Amino acid sequence: MSFAVVLMIGFVWMQQVELPIPPPPNRHAIFKGETDLCDLFDADCEDVRVVFAIDCSASMRRIWEEVVGSAEGAVSELPPNALFNIVLFSSACEGGAVAWRGGVVAADARSKAEAMRWLRQRRPAGCSVLLEALKTAFSLSRRVSVFLVADDYPNTGETEACEIMEAAWRLVSQNGGRLNTILVSEDEKAAGLLAELAHCCGGSFCFRAFVK
């Protein structure tokens, strides 16, 4: 099976003033269907704006090549009418998160190659700073689909789940896009947070338990 792009099309139209509270995460439901590596970025898409936000903290070191390879496959299959960017996040990045470009760019062959060269030059270090990744990703374009990849619970910056949830919902509501989350471990605390984030922010959640 070839690599494909994890893209979900649609706008999030939220009218609530208060943050909706999702049902508590259920471990069996979260871990019942492990996603194959080649399916991490797998969905049909047409004209979209997408940002891949990838955890680049030290805990990602042992699976970094696999995750980068999966992202490379996704980027390579973006259609020509797509716009994209990549964000890496960890405490080792200036400000907690760094984007490849200042906005979303056309998914032509040159941009795809440059993006992957940039990604392959990075090395995991530092701690996870999830909220900064979301702030950066949703600042790059209106109505963007963000695909956040992480392997553990954020351990620096904002770490309170309720604060992260509320901030994420407000970012998505203001942006008009959606947040999809991908867990690349079996960390239960991280799974609960990422599943709830996707639930509240109009996206989907999946996981892949790489051997670490």
Side-chain angles (χ1 to χ4, degrees), residues 24-48:
N26 178 286
R27 188 187 191 282
H28 175 72
I30 289 173
F31 291 113
K32 68 180 179 181
E34 182 174 6
T35 302
D36 290 337
L37 174 60
C38 58
D39 293 329
L40 281 181
F41 300 99
D42 185 17
D44 295 327
C45 71
E46 292 181 357
D47 189 7
V48 295

Side-chain angles (χ1 to χ4, degrees), residues 22-96:
N26 178 286
R27 188 187 191 282
H28 175 72
I30 289 173
F31 291 113
K32 68 180 179 181
E34 182 174 6
T35 302
D36 290 337
L37 174 60
C38 58
D39 293 329
L40 281 181
F41 300 99
D42 185 17
D44 295 327
C45 71
E46 292 181 357
D47 189 7
V48 295
R49 300 178 179 91
V50 59
V51 174
F52 300 98
I54 303 174
D55 186 352
C56 192
S57 61
S59 61
M60 293 284 287
R61 285 174 183 164
R62 293 186 64 185
I63 60 172
W64 185 244
E65 292 303 318
E66 289 89 342
V67 171
V68 169
S70 186
E72 185 171 21
V75 169
S76 70
E77 295 193 15
L78 282 167
N81 57 348
L83 301 171
F84 81 105
N85 203 338
I86 299 173
V87 170
L88 297 180
F89 63 98
S90 85
S91 60
C93 298
E94 184 176 356

Side-chain angles (χ1 to χ4, degrees), residues 37 40-41 53-71 87-90 119 122-129 147-153 155 182-187 190 194 208 210-212:
L37 174 60
L40 281 181
F41 300 99
I54 303 174
D55 186 352
C56 192
S57 61
S59 61
M60 293 284 287
R61 285 174 183 164
R62 293 186 64 185
I63 60 172
W64 185 244
E65 292 303 318
E66 289 89 342
V67 171
V68 169
S70 186
V87 170
L88 297 180
F89 63 98
S90 85
L119 181 58
R122 310 294 297 206
R123 292 292 178 268
C127 302
S128 180
V129 194
F147 296 87
L148 183 137
V149 181
D151 74 328
D152 62 5
Y153 192 89
N155 46 27
I182 302 168
L183 177 68
V184 286
S185 74
E186 286 190 324
D187 184 294
L194 294 187
R208 164 72 187 186
F210 293 104
V211 176
K212 298 181 64 176

Side-chain angles (χ1 to χ4, degrees), residues 2 8-9 24 37 39 53 78 117 127 142 157 164 185-186 201:
S2 64
M8 303 288 294
I9 304 174
L37 174 60
D39 293 329
L78 282 167
R117 279 197 297 269
C127 302
R142 289 283 296 163
I164 295 172
S185 74
E186 286 190 324
C201 297

Side-chain angles (χ1 to χ4, degrees), residues 161-180:
C162 61
E163 296 296 330
I164 295 172
M165 293 280 293
E166 181 173 1
W169 179 82
R170 294 192 185 282
L171 285 168
V172 170
S173 181
Q174 293 165 7
N175 180 274
R178 66 171 59 209
L179 172 61
N180 306 278

Side-chain angles (χ1 to χ4, degrees), residues 119-142:
L119 181 58
R120 288 198 171 278
Q121 288 171 357
R122 310 294 297 206
R123 292 292 178 268
C127 302
S128 180
V129 194
L130 189 150
L131 186 53
E132 294 308 315
L134 298 182
K135 291 177 180 178
T136 300
F138 282 109
S139 72
L140 296 171
S141 175
R142 289 283 296 163

